[in-house]
């Protein structure tokens, strides 16, 4: 298969910085769209992958799955977009298309293995997929999203992961005007969760470790802010929430939050991947028919639904634009929760 060499930023090992490298992109096949990348959001998953936190990274790894760009080439059978259109690509770039999950527009739960924008098995070139920290990407049109014309392009990039990852549980658990929703952690996912839950009409509470974020959270739409390290403050919301979206990236005690669920309420983990510590106490779950669940990004149709909703309600991410060369500093700042509230790389700086 013919390929072209494009500039990218990636990492060669868990203990190395992200630095310039060349990668190959395939020539468009009949169903493919080639996109010149303009902006790429920086997700905490990029950092987990670059540093092999999940023990699953194959190197070299080129992160980035919040991609916005301009279509530069389309295959002969492409109908979704044309050259010159703006396009989005998120975490998903391939799936089998035939299993029960794919048939229900749940490509992220593909039973034959979904392919991530990075560190996924590249079915075309072999090896692993390379993400959005690069000049160009080539993706099957099914996995390319249309971008609402009224939204700022750079601030739209984070919707492709942070947006859909929080939208999907809000929709699955039927959040609406009567709902009481809480969000744990005010970072990239957390700030989108607040905006989207508010957009759906819910009453929204933020749980944060960081009292300094209270003012921002209210400006983003939170009705209430609870400091999660303050036991009395936590008790004040016992038995309250229909849905809690937990975005914390590292192991933490989920039990105090289960106590704040209403009867039939669900706490959905989207951040931390791995065994819980301390272990989950089932008593409050059984006594109140409460659930602890998980959720992974969202399917392509649901991602388009979220983008269209954001277009209608003028919802975008709060971003700090960075140059590609500053990515390692951005990771360090992200680890200190020093980002308001999503870094976006200006790919013209590559
Ligand atoms: P982020 O911007 O770094 O935000 C995480 C927030 O969690 C922080 O701002 C902080 O908020 C809180 N936090 C951080 N460390 C904590 C700790 N040790 N204990 C308690 N709270 C902590 O990260 P993100 O990009 O939103 O991503 C969050 C997680 O979701 C990552 O693990 C990422 O890999 C994962 N993710 C999952 C999916 C999915 O499909 N399920 C998709 C995308 C990302 P406060 O200061 O307010 O406490
Ligand atoms: Zn992500």
């Amino acid at each position: 298969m013919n390929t072209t060499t494009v500039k990218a930023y990636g990492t060669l090992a868990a203990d190395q910085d992200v630095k310039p490298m060349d990668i190959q992109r395939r020539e468009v096949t009949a169903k493919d769209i080639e996109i010149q990348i303009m902006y790429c959001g920086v997700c905490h998953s990029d950092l987990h992958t670059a540093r092999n936190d999940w023990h699953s990274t194959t190197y070299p790894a080129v992160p980035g799955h919040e991609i916005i760009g301009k279509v530069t080439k389309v295959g002969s059978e492409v109908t979704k977009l044309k050259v010159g259109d703006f396009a989005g690509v998120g975490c998903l770039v391939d799936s089998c298309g035939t299993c029960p999950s794919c048939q229900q527009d749940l490509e992220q739960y593909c039973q034959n293995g979904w392919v991530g924008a990075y560190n996924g098995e590249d079915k075309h070139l072999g090896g692993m997929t390379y993400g959005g920290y690069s000049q160009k990407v080539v993706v099957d049109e099914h996995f390319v999203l249309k971008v609402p014309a009224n939204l700022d392009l750079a601030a739209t990039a984070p919707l492709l992961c942070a947006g859909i990852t929080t939208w999907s549980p809000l929709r699955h658990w039927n959040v609406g005007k009567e709902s009481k929703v809480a969000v744990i952690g005010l970072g990239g996912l957390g700030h989108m969760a607040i905006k989207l839950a508010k957009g759906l009409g819910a009453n929204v509470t933020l749980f944060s470790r960081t009292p300094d974020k209270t003012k921002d959270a209210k400006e983003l739409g939170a009705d209430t802010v609870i400091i999660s390290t303050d036991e009395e403050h936590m008790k004040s919301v016992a038995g309250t929430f229909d849905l809690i979206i937990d975005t914390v990236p590292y192991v933490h005690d989920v039990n105090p939050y289960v106590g704040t669920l209403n009867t039939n309420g669900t706490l959905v983990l989207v951040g931390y991947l791995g065994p819980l510590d301390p272990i989950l106490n089932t008593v409050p779950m059984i006594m109140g028919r409460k659930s602890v669940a998980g959720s992974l990004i969202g399917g392509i149709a649901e991602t388009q639904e979220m983008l269209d909703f954001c277009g209608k309600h003028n919802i975008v991410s709060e971003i700090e634009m960075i140059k590609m060369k500053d990515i390692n500093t951005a990771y360090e700042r992200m680890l200190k929760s020093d980002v308001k509230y999503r870094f976006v790389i200006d790919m013209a700086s590559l």
Side-chain angles (χ1 to χ4, degrees), residues 36-337:
Q36 174 85 33
I37 302 175
M38 299 164 67
Y39 303 106
C40 186
V42 180
C43 179
H44 208 111
S45 303
D46 299 359
L47 191 162
H48 288 309
T49 301
R51 300 189 178 177
N52 202 15
D53 287 348
W54 296 324
H55 312 289
S56 60
T57 307
T58 302
Y59 294 96
V62 175
H65 57 203
E66 294 183 338
I67 298 167
I68 291 283
K70 204 173 215 178
V71 175
T72 43
K73 230 182 251 179
V74 295
S76 56
E77 291 171 26
V78 167
T79 55
K80 204 184 237 180
L81 290 169
K82 55 183 193 323
V83 171
D85 287 344
F86 294 116
V89 177
C91 310
L92 272 167
V93 295
D94 220 335
S95 73
C96 82
T98 54
C99 74
S101 295
C102 287
Q103 293 284 301
Q104 293 171 72
D105 291 331
L106 298 170
E107 300 92 337
Q108 75 276 32
Y109 303 119
C110 174
Q111 289 160 11
N112 295 308
W114 61 285
V115 180
Y118 56 79
N119 203 46
E121 272 181 51
D122 189 327
K123 292 182 190 167
H124 297 264
L125 296 181
M128 305 308 271
T129 52
Y130 296 130
Y133 297 1
S134 58
Q135 284 175 308
K136 284 187 175 184
V137 68
V138 177
V139 180
D140 182 303
E141 70 166 337
H142 177 75
F143 296 91
V144 178
L145 287 308
K146 294 181 185 177
V147 182
N150 58 317
L151 299 182
D152 177 80
L153 288 171
T156 299
L159 302 181
L160 275 310
C161 174
I164 183 58
T165 301
T166 50
W167 177 256
S168 188
L170 290 169
R171 296 287 286 144
H172 182 74
W173 278 279
N174 296 315
V175 164
K177 290 192 172 54
E178 306 300 316
S179 310
K180 287 200 165 158
V181 173
V183 176
I184 313 179
L186 189 61
L189 267 56
H191 92 291
M192 286 314 308
I194 293 176
K195 287 190 178 206
L196 293 169
K198 208 63 211 168
L200 288 166
N203 181 285
V204 184
T205 294
L206 171 73
F207 287 113
S208 176
R209 310 162 299 174
T210 318
D212 289 353
K213 291 184 183 172
T214 303
K215 187 168 168 279
D216 284 358
K218 297 252 168 101
E219 281 170 13
L220 290 165
D223 299 281
T224 310
V225 177
I226 300 289
I227 302 308
S228 51
T229 47
D230 178 336
E231 264 181 54
E232 287 306 310
H233 216 188
M234 289 293 282
K235 273 189 202 152
S236 71
V237 285
T240 301
F241 303 109
D242 304 307
L243 182 70
I244 301 177
I245 300 183
D246 182 341
T247 77
V248 175
Y250 300 99
V251 68
H252 58 289
D253 188 1
V254 170
N255 293 295
Y257 299 105
V258 175
T260 72
L261 287 171
N262 195 357
T263 308
N264 293 323
T266 301
L267 181 149
V268 56
L269 291 152
V270 295
Y272 171 66
L273 267 182
L276 288 173
D277 183 31
I279 55 174
L280 196 57
N281 181 0
T282 65
V283 175
M285 293 166 67
I286 289 172
M287 294 304 165
R289 198 160 63 186
K290 298 173 184 180
S291 310
V292 173
S295 184
L296 177 69
I297 47 175
I300 295 301
E302 199 172 45
T303 307
Q304 192 63 60
E305 175 196 71
M306 177 273 311
L307 285 169
D308 295 346
F309 179 89
C310 288
K312 197 166 160 207
H313 295 264
N314 249 309
I315 295 174
V316 286
S317 172
E318 304 300 310
I319 65 164
E320 178 179 337
M321 193 92 86
I322 60 165
K323 293 197 167 72
M324 188 69 253
K325 68 177 175 51
D326 296 326
I327 186 65
N328 298 296
T329 315
Y331 282 174
E332 290 312 313
R333 284 184 53 196
M334 189 185 253
L335 282 173
K336 291 188 222 137
S337 293

